[in-house]
Amino acid sequence: MTLQTPQPPPSALRAVLAALDSETALRQPAAAALRHRAGPLLPAHPLAVHVLDGQRPALATARRTGWRFLIKDGNEVAAAAEVVLGMEGHTFSHFTAGPYLDSTVRALRHAWQLAQSVRGRHQPRLLSIPGHYATALWLHSPDATPAADLLIPLAPAPLGITAHRAYPAADLLAILARAALTKPLVLGMS
């Protein structure tokens, strides 16, 4: 398999670079590591962010909501920056930190290892499945049928799903479809 790194629109990259130069954006709690940098901050590994909703989600219905860039401080990934598409192009949304950051790096490493042993071309994307509190690295195969797509769930993964394991997309989505959608917890209600 060949991993084909996507090229984000220039407006997405400009939005991230502007956020990295913005004292206001860098005051966000998730940007704490960026305020104590060892070197220049560089956006890397752009991933198109897609959202998949519904009881029986299908990848064909996933909608692109923006781009996420891993922000490197030297050789280390210190945070991620997300941009969304608005009426006038891409705008900075927020920085993220926490377990999904390290998990994304680990999933990308796993994808590069898979690239050595699997045939075909794949584009890494980020897939959010909010009804299941799940996020996965989506290895989309633009040259093949959707059956060739793979999903690598990020940690923490939903109960019954193994994080950092590559699943055929149809298999993982079938497991999620059998699981009950998470309902919001309403305090004081029984």
Side-chain angles (χ1 to χ4, degrees), residues 105-173:
V105 171
R106 184 173 171 187
L108 282 167
R109 284 188 189 125
H110 185 51
W112 286 109
Q113 289 171 347
L114 282 173
Q116 308 302 316
S117 61
V118 177
R119 286 189 166 168
R121 182 171 61 111
H122 285 75
Q123 298 169 340
R125 301 173 170 181
L126 207 57
L127 182 67
S128 174
I129 311 168
H132 294 283
Y133 292 106
T135 303
L137 183 65
W138 174 11
L139 302 178
H140 172 64
S141 178
D143 302 327
T145 65
D149 286 5
L150 299 171
L151 294 175
I152 302 174
L154 302 183
L159 193 60
I161 305 295
T162 304
H164 305 116
R165 174 184 163 215
Y167 289 84
D171 292 356
L172 181 61
L173 293 177

Side-chain angles (χ1 to χ4, degrees), residues 22-118:
S22 166
E23 288 187 30
T24 303
L26 290 173
R27 277 191 229 129
Q28 293 182 2
L34 302 178
R35 292 190 295 269
H36 307 289
R37 57 182 135 199
L41 299 174
L42 299 172
H45 307 294
L47 297 169
V49 177
H50 291 75
V51 175
L52 192 56
D53 294 313
Q55 179 67 33
R56 298 199 175 272
L59 283 179
T61 64
R63 57 185 166 46
R64 182 182 295 181
T65 59
W67 288 82
R68 184 172 296 169
F69 294 77
L70 298 181
I71 306 300
K72 294 184 85 173
D73 181 6
N75 291 328
E76 297 297 316
V77 174
E82 194 157 323
V83 297
V84 294
L85 183 58
M87 295 299 285
E88 297 180 19
H90 289 90
T91 58
F92 173 74
S93 174
H94 61 276
F95 287 111
T96 58
Y100 279 133
L101 184 62
D102 291 335
S103 190
T104 302
V105 171
R106 184 173 171 187
L108 282 167
R109 284 188 189 125
H110 185 51
W112 286 109
Q113 289 171 347
L114 282 173
Q116 308 302 316
S117 61
V118 177

